[in-house]
Amino acid sequence: MSYSSASRSRRGLVLVFAGIAAVLVGVNAHHVTDDATWNGLTVAGLFVQGAGWVLFVRDGRQP
């Protein structure tokens, strides 16, 4: 299946925003419940956000 560069860049941005949402949920849940296990969601969100930026930048540079 072939995707256009714009479609791949859009997928990267979706990952970035999903990562931001996961970080915000994790940080707020940790603050409200004072349970350190929510930090796992925060870290996972950071990884998803980083992967999204990598995809966005890599696919955005292709002609």
Side-chain angles (χ1 to χ4, degrees), residues 6 11 24 31 34 36:
R11 243 185 324 180
L24 290 175
H31 179 72
D34 204 24

Side-chain angles (χ1 to χ4, degrees), residues 22-44:
V23 167
L24 290 175
V25 168
V27 166
N28 287 325
H30 171 69
H31 179 72
V32 169
T33 63
D34 204 24
D35 187 7
T37 56
W38 287 104
N39 289 336
L41 181 62
T42 304
V43 171

